[in-house]
Amino acid sequence: MKIEQYISQLLYRYQCVTVPGFGAFLTEFQSAQLDENSHSFFPPKKMISFNPFIKNNDGLLANHLAQAEKIGYEIAVNTIEIEVSHWTTKIQEFGNFSIKNIGEFSLNAERNLVFVPANQINYLKESFGLSSYISPSVKREVYKQEVEAIEEKAPIAFTPEKRRSYKVLKYAAVFTLSLGLTGVLGYKLYDNYLKQIEQETLLVQSNVQKKINQKIQEATFYIENPLPAVTLTVPSEKTPYHVVAGAFRLESNAKNAYNSLLKLGFKAKRLPANKHGLFPVLYGSYSSYTVARDAMKNIQKLDNKDAWLLIQE
């Protein structure tokens, strides 16, 4: 059974996908880039790298494979071991092999494993639909000489200005002076009117404030015998229904998943290690089965189709 497609599906949602017994594929955010030499624009994406030293089974890939293929967890683990054995054989016999939509592996002169990621798929969900774009270079032409030639040929027409008679100017000056005097006198009257209104307003506000203070003093009273304090006991609500994001073999991976859910706005929780030695991480806990089931369905549609419901008695 090929497991490449399941690794590819998990890389969209997680920063680390471990293949037990082989290594871990890690993703790192890379911002948008602009290559000025080739006039190319590259959208933000997830860069894939490989760490051959992380080989422990954290349960992520096995659980996803078991749910997708509707098989048991142990069968899924055995399937992964068989596929890893095939990969190892290809490396030893041919010196290289590739995983579809993920990358290519090869051996260098020191017989160390070298990984080259595939670039045709962007695993950043926020950049879905965006692809690289090459823009043609902008060519700017200088039209300075053409403009200068047009300015030299363009005729400039001068229109003679007719002089008005001295009498018209004299009457206009007298009229302007009279308007100025009228404006000055009107401004002084208006200013005096405003000052009078301001004084009356301050007087009214002062009287109103005195009456308010008097009412406050009349309404002031003291309680000699205060009522005894009442203690209410609120019963704690039981929440036995949990929506599980995943169960991890390593506690560090559980912490990372827990912090990721908190950043996404979920009321995430962590449970102690179960009898299988796995650390469950929860999207949230609920007191009603109906509410928990509806929350699980919404999470499966919007964030993680592998989320499942855990009921604790």
Side-chain angles (χ1 to χ4, degrees):
M1 181 186 298
K2 300 294 184 180
I3 64 173
E4 291 92 337
Q5 58 177 336
Y6 303 109
I7 299 174
S8 181
Q9 292 171 4
L10 292 173
L11 287 174
Y12 282 102
R13 300 195 298 268
Y14 299 96
Q15 293 181 343
C16 177
V17 179
T18 303
V19 180
F22 184 73
F25 294 99
L26 309 174
T27 60
E28 183 180 0
F29 175 79
Q30 184 181 60
S31 59
Q33 294 182 345
L34 175 64
D35 188 351
E36 296 181 356
N37 296 327
S38 61
H39 308 285
S40 301
F41 168 78
F42 300 94
K45 64 179 181 179
K46 276 185 177 180
M47 288 292 295
I48 303 178
S49 60
F50 179 74
N51 189 336
F53 302 104
I54 303 176
K55 299 182 179 181
N56 293 330
N57 183 15
D58 59 1
L60 179 63
L61 180 58
N63 280 321
H64 181 63
L65 178 61
Q67 293 181 6
E69 296 292 338
K70 301 185 183 307
I71 59 178
Y73 178 80
E74 297 297 334
I75 298 176
V77 173
N78 293 333
T79 302
I80 296 173
E81 291 179 355
I82 295 173
E83 187 67 14
V84 169
S85 177
H86 291 165
W87 292 351
T88 306
T89 302
K90 289 181 180 179
I91 294 174
Q92 293 176 354
E93 293 182 356
F94 305 103
N96 60 63
F97 82 100
S98 61
I99 301 178
K100 184 179 179 181
N101 297 330
I102 297 176
E104 183 176 352
F105 290 90
S106 61
L107 294 176
N108 58 14
E110 290 79 15
R111 305 295 295 176
N112 293 325
L113 199 61
V114 178
F115 173 72
V116 178
N119 295 323
Q120 66 270 23
I121 292 184
N122 189 348
Y123 286 101
L124 185 64
K125 294 188 292 185
E126 290 76 6
S127 297
F128 179 78
L130 294 178
S131 59
S132 59
Y133 174 75
I134 300 177
S135 173
S137 60
V138 179
K139 298 181 180 180
R140 295 179 175 85
E141 299 181 1
V142 180
Y143 298 96
K144 182 177 181 181
Q145 296 178 355
E146 296 181 7
V147 172
E148 291 178 351
I150 294 174
E151 290 179 350
E152 291 179 358
K153 296 179 181 179
I156 301 176
F158 293 94
T159 303
E161 190 177 305
K162 296 181 180 180
R163 299 194 178 189
R164 298 181 181 179
S165 62
Y166 176 73
K167 291 183 179 180
V168 175
L169 295 176
K170 179 176 68 175
Y171 291 139
V174 173
F175 179 72
T176 303
L177 180 61
S178 61
L179 287 177
L181 293 174
T182 303
V184 172
L185 295 176
Y187 174 76
K188 289 184 177 180
L189 292 175
Y190 180 70
D191 186 49
N192 292 335
Y193 176 71
L194 290 179
K195 290 181 179 179
Q196 182 178 358
I197 292 177
E198 184 179 358
Q199 291 177 356
E200 293 178 356
T201 302
L202 291 175
L203 181 61
V204 172
Q205 290 179 350
S206 178
N207 292 334
V208 171
Q209 187 63 39
K210 289 180 180 179
K211 291 182 179 181
I212 291 174
N213 293 336
Q214 183 177 359
K215 293 294 184 181
I216 292 175
Q217 291 177 358
E218 292 176 357
T220 303
F221 60 91
Y222 297 92
I223 300 177
E224 295 181 357
N225 297 320
L227 297 174
V230 178
T231 302
L232 298 178
T233 302
V234 180
S236 59
E237 186 178 14
K238 295 183 179 180
T239 55
Y241 306 98
H242 313 288
V243 179
V244 182
F248 303 90
R249 182 71 62 183
L250 296 179
E251 188 175 5
S252 58
N253 292 337
K255 290 181 180 179
N256 293 334
Y258 169 75
N259 293 328
S260 299
L261 293 181
L262 291 179
K263 292 180 181 179
L264 293 175
F266 293 102
K267 296 180 179 179
K269 294 182 179 180
R270 290 180 53 197
L271 296 180
N274 57 22
K275 62 181 181 180
H276 301 291
L278 301 177
F279 295 89
V281 178
L282 312 179
Y283 279 98
S285 301
Y286 307 88
S287 59
S288 169
Y289 171 77
T290 304
V291 176
R293 182 192 60 191
D294 294 341
M296 179 190 67
K297 291 181 179 179
N298 292 331
I299 291 171
Q300 289 176 342
K301 291 180 181 179
L302 300 177
D303 184 69
N304 181 7
K305 69 176 184 178
D306 299 324
W308 53 282
L309 189 62
L310 173 64
I311 302 176
Q312 287 185 335
E313 298 297 335

